[in-house]
Amino acid sequence: MKSPSLSVRLLGTLLLFPSLTVMAQAQGDTPPKALVQANAEFVCFFMSEVGGQPKPKDCEKDAAAELTQVYPSLPAEQRQQLADIQDHWPKFQKEWQALDEIQKAALRAQWAAMLQEQQQGLGGSGQPPPEQ
């Protein structure tokens, strides 16, 4: 793998997205269109790869709308993380294309494990609640 640190950095930022959806919307600030587009592509790519499913038809449109909605309420640190994705996303796409299927499968498994850990940290176990 050419740049595992790049994929880990990008994935770390992906882990930020679930927290974005619970933030209250503030008025004002509109994110740059290029930032929204890069992040929407990024989210849809990773969710498709980890889920092993083709991305939904309107995935990027929906992700862009959600990000545009929550962006005004984000602190500077999270805005910087989104800017980092915008900066690194093109390089990551090229590196991804250069990987063989075994390397891609290993990264998918790593990403899935990280997402599962994050969900468990947010109170989700990935398991349905026990029946009563």
Side-chain angles (χ1 to χ4, degrees):
M1 250 167 283
K2 292 186 178 186
S3 181
S5 64
L6 179 60
S7 65
V8 169
R9 185 172 36 225
L10 289 173
L11 183 60
T13 304
L14 174 65
L15 298 178
L16 149 80
F17 272 83
S19 65
L20 296 180
T21 61
V22 297
M23 294 183 160
Q25 180 181 0
Q27 298 299 316
D29 237 350
T30 302
K33 288 183 182 181
L35 180 137
V36 170
Q37 183 62 38
N39 279 274
E41 290 174 9
F42 166 75
V43 167
C44 293
F45 167 82
F46 275 103
M47 299 316 288
S48 174
E49 290 295 328
V50 170
Q53 302 282 327
K55 65 182 171 184
K57 179 182 174 190
D58 293 329
C59 183
E60 290 172 2
K61 178 181 163 190
D62 293 343
E66 186 173 322
L67 177 58
T68 299
Q69 181 181 13
V70 299
Y71 185 83
S73 65
L74 298 178
E77 180 181 342
Q78 288 179 327
R79 289 182 183 203
Q80 183 58 52
Q81 289 175 325
L82 297 173
D84 289 345
I85 285 180
Q86 180 184 359
D87 293 342
H88 296 293
W89 179 232
K91 181 179 178 186
F92 177 83
Q93 288 174 300
K94 288 178 185 172
E95 290 179 358
W96 180 258
Q97 294 303 317
L99 298 176
D100 63 36
E101 285 306 313
I102 293 172
Q103 292 169 314
K104 288 178 181 180
L107 280 173
R108 287 181 194 111
Q110 179 184 4
W111 298 335
M114 290 175 75
L115 287 173
Q116 184 176 11
E117 286 177 22
Q118 185 220 20
Q119 288 174 343
Q120 289 174 348
L122 293 174
S125 65
Q127 303 285 329
E131 292 186 31
Q132 301 209 355

